[in-house]
């Protein structure tokens, strides 16, 4: 995981499978790249829901194996991996979030960011509601429990119409799963089916592959899909075609796994295409093209293909180093970068190198990598970036730093080149990027480059807006 580009969250759900909990566990493993802070599974036997969550990776949370799987063993299950985008990384904010209300139990798993969560929470607190977490998902359970919403002919659709922002959601009620995407379809969510006919939902198709399920289709923006004993049913809570989508194109550039298909397009193929376009826009005379692994690899392959410059692996990522907790000191931070990315001296020494990365956020991590390449004897370093300069923060579920901390904020290309200590720098144009993607240009969100937020945002609200007190509860912190 790149420390400057934090993931969002991953969702999984499966209905009517004797091995539902094990398959959810496998599905979450394949979605681990979307969040490593916490993980959890909620399951139902058709009458009651049980839930187990904890801090850390899927492997760490479920390390006790058989015991916890036996307790959760049920044919209906949903799961969640989290990176915090609202509310800090604490046990109280783990998901799925389980609640009880007058109609029974509900467990919720959320990927995205509700931009009106603080407003809604203030309103509920003013009427006496109490909250036990500091994330934006708990407000959804309060909306579900509200008597005036329950009495509506379609309570869930009614609740969703009160939410604003980015949300892919998977709900577990005792007898069914309901999965939905916000009207803009900002975050991905798809449907699959196992060979025995069990219905599955997942953030990315890689999770379907992990359990040998077949991809059926994406859940449409504004659609609710129900998985129950009668199969799969669909309804819409906004009239289809009335909202122009705003799919997060950064999912394609960085977050999603290369073998996934999201927004109707394979991630690896699109990244390669972007790499080819990058080579056309920013050619260079170099001896070798190397990627910043892993997310820069597909684009680097495309860049090498188009430029006819040999591709090689000049850096190797260590997958065995988790969080090292070394951050305060610049020198130690540089050593940490070195530890995570090792340079192959034989590939880079004495060469002119084109380094392809997917994006640059603060720039300090990138500069650390550049310094390591210089120390290994690289003669020239030309930085090529497969997305435009990031100038604005994301309010739709990606944890970028503040505007002031972004490298490209108030810096021109010359200053960026100097900061990175490279011989040249070339960013993909926004137009070129959108031309590479299959859907029409106005079907994507591009706010972190253009500053044009399709859903109006309150820039004063941040990740910690609901952290008014030091709420802390120690449960299964492990
Ligand atoms: S602002 Fe950027 S990261 Fe956020 S949803 Fe839009 S494209 Fe994605």
């Amino acid at each position: 995981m790149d420390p400057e580009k934090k993931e969002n969250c991953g969702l999984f759900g499966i209905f009517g499978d004797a091995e539902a909990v094990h398959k959810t566990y496998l599905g979450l493993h394949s979605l681990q790249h979307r969040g490593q802070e916490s993980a959890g599974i909620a399951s139902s036997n058709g009458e009651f829901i049980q839930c187990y969550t904890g801090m850390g990776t899927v492997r760490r949370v479920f390390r006790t194996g058989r015991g916890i799987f036996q307790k959760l063993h049920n044919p209906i299950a949903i799961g969640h991996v989290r990176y915090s985008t609202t509310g800090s990384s604490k046990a109280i904010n783990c998901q799925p979030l389980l609640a009880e209300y007058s109609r029974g139990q509900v467990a919720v798993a959320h990927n995205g960011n509700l931009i009106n969560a603080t407003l809604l929470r203030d309103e509920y607190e003013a009427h006496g509601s109490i909250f036990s977490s500091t994330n934006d998902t708990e407000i959804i359970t309060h909306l579900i429990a509200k008597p005036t919403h329950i009495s509506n002919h379609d309570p869930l659709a009614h609740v969703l119409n009160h939410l604003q922002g980015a949300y892919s959601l998977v709900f577990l009620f005792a007898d069914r799963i309901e999965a939905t995407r916000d009207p803009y379809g900002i975050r991905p969510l798809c449907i699959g089916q196992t060979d025995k006919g069990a219905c599955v939902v997942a953030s990315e198709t890689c999770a379907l592959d992990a359990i040998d399920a077949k991809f059926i289709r994406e859940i449409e923006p504004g659609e609710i899909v129900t998985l129950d004993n009668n199969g799969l049913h669909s309804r819409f809570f906004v009239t289809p075609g009335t909202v122009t989508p705003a799919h997060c194109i950064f999912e394609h550039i960085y977050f999603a796994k290369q073998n996934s298909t999201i927004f109707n397009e394979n991630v690896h193929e699109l990244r390669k295409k972007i790499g080819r376009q990058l080579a056309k826009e920013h050619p260079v005379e170099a001896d070798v093209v190397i990627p910043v692994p892993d997310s820069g690899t597909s684009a680097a392959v495309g860049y090498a293909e188009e430029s006819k410059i040999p591709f090689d692996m000049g850096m190797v990522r260590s997958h065995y180093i988790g969080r090292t907790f070394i951050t305060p000191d610049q020198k130690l931070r540089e050593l940490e970068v070195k530890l995570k990315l090792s340079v192959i001296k034989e590939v880079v020494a004495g060469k002119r190198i084109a380094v392809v990365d997917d994006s640059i956020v603060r720039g300090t991590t990138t500069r650390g990598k550049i310094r390591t390449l210089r120390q290994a004897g690289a003669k020239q370093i030309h930085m090529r970036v497969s997305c435009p300069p990031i100038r604005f923060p994301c309010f739709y579920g990606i944890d970028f730093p503040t505007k002031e901390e972004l490298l490209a904020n108030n810096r021109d290309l010359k200053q960026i080149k100097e900061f990175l200590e490279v011989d040249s720098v070339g960013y993909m144009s926004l137009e070129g990027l959108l031309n590479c993607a299959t859907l029409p240009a106005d079907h994507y969100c591009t706010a972190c480059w253009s500053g044009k937020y399709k859903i109006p945002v309150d820039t004063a609200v941040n990740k910690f807006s609901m952290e008014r007190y030091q709420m802390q509860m120690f449960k299964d912190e492990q």
Side-chain angles (χ1 to χ4, degrees), residues 1 25 42 59-60 70 72 75 77 83 120 148 166 178 182 192 214 276 290 292 329 340 346 353 362 383 422:
M1 183 182 91
Y25 172 75
R59 187 173 173 176
R60 183 180 166 85
Q70 268 164 7
L72 285 173
Y83 176 78
L120 287 169
T148 49
E178 307 244 27
D182 67 71
K214 174 173 96 224
R276 287 197 286 270
I290 66 163
V292 175
D329 177 88
K340 286 182 178 169
E346 290 71 10
I353 319 166
R362 277 196 190 88
M383 192 74 215
V422 289

Side-chain angles (χ1 to χ4, degrees), residues 146-442:
K146 193 174 177 179
T148 49
H149 295 171
I150 291 172
S151 61
N152 192 277
H153 75 284
D154 187 343
L156 186 58
H158 188 67
V159 164
L160 297 174
N161 275 312
H162 284 76
L163 306 181
Q164 286 167 18
Y167 54 88
S168 281
L169 291 162
V170 178
F171 297 91
L172 173 65
F173 294 92
D175 61 345
R176 67 191 188 281
I177 289 173
E178 307 244 27
T180 188
R181 283 171 85 195
D182 67 71
Y184 293 85
I186 296 177
R187 301 279 147 233
L189 194 61
C190 66
I191 315 170
Q193 196 167 38
T194 66
D195 54 356
K196 292 196 176 132
C199 293
V200 186
V201 290
S203 291
E204 295 180 32
T205 58
C206 64
L208 303 180
D209 297 340
I211 60 157
D212 276 343
K214 174 173 96 224
F215 170 68
I216 297 179
R217 65 174 176 90
E218 302 203 346
I219 294 179
E220 295 296 323
E223 182 184 16
I224 303 170
V225 168
T226 306
L227 283 50
D228 64 16
N229 280 329
N230 298 316
L232 197 144
H233 328 270
S234 158
R235 65 192 190 277
F236 282 84
F237 65 95
V238 289
T239 312
T242 53
V243 179
T244 307
H247 306 310
C248 170
I249 201 166
F250 212 76
E251 289 270 358
H252 263 304
I253 290 163
Y254 175 72
F255 293 109
K257 232 184 207 174
Q258 289 94 322
N259 60 327
S260 286
T261 292
I262 57 162
F263 313 142
N264 296 312
E265 198 157 15
N266 172 255
V267 173
H268 170 68
E269 288 301 325
L270 179 57
R271 284 184 191 167
K272 264 201 323 192
K273 202 167 160 190
I274 293 168
R276 287 197 286 270
Q277 176 64 23
L278 183 62
K280 285 181 199 156
E281 290 187 15
H282 297 285
V284 67
E285 284 191 16
D287 304 309
V288 64
V289 174
I290 66 163
V292 175
D294 297 317
S295 52
T297 307
S298 304
V301 170
Y303 192 97
E305 273 175 16
E306 181 65 33
S307 62
K308 310 275 186 290
I309 301 169
F311 171 92
D312 209 338
M313 294 301 295
M315 287 186 259
V316 185
R317 181 179 293 278
S318 170
H319 293 275
Y320 304 104
I321 301 163
R323 290 170 64 188
T324 50
F325 298 100
I326 299 171
T327 45
D329 177 88
Q330 179 61 30
K331 180 72 192 152
L332 289 175
R333 267 203 301 267
E334 282 173 20
L335 289 175
E336 190 182 0
V337 172
K338 242 180 174 172
L339 199 65
K340 286 182 178 169
L341 271 185
S342 314
V343 172
I344 304 174
K345 285 197 188 102
E346 290 71 10
V347 173
V348 304
K351 306 252 181 71
R352 298 169 300 168
I353 319 166
V355 182
V356 180
D357 203 353
D358 58 274
S359 55
I360 302 177
V361 182
R362 277 196 190 88
T364 43
T365 307
T366 306
R367 188 173 59 189
K369 294 167 195 164
I370 300 296
R371 284 179 180 167
T372 314
L373 287 167
R374 287 251 189 246
Q375 284 165 11
K379 200 160 77 183
Q380 286 178 19
I381 303 176
H382 303 276
M383 192 74 215
R384 295 295 179 266
V385 190
S386 64
C387 80
I390 297 173
R391 295 203 163 93
F392 302 90
C394 175
F395 294 90
Y396 305 144
I398 307 294
D399 187 27
F400 280 156
T402 59
K403 191 174 174 195
E404 292 65 37
E405 292 171 286
L406 295 168
L407 174 68
N409 175 49
N410 290 330
R411 275 195 187 89
D412 60 21
L413 272 183
K414 187 169 170 283
Q415 290 166 318
I416 291 173
K417 175 179 159 285
E418 281 165 10
F419 180 91
L420 295 176
E421 301 168 5
V422 289
D423 296 279
S424 76
V425 62
Y427 282 93
M428 182 79 174
S429 70
L430 186 54
E431 198 193 359
L433 173 66
L434 293 169
N435 280 340
C436 288
T438 303
L439 298 175
D442 66 347

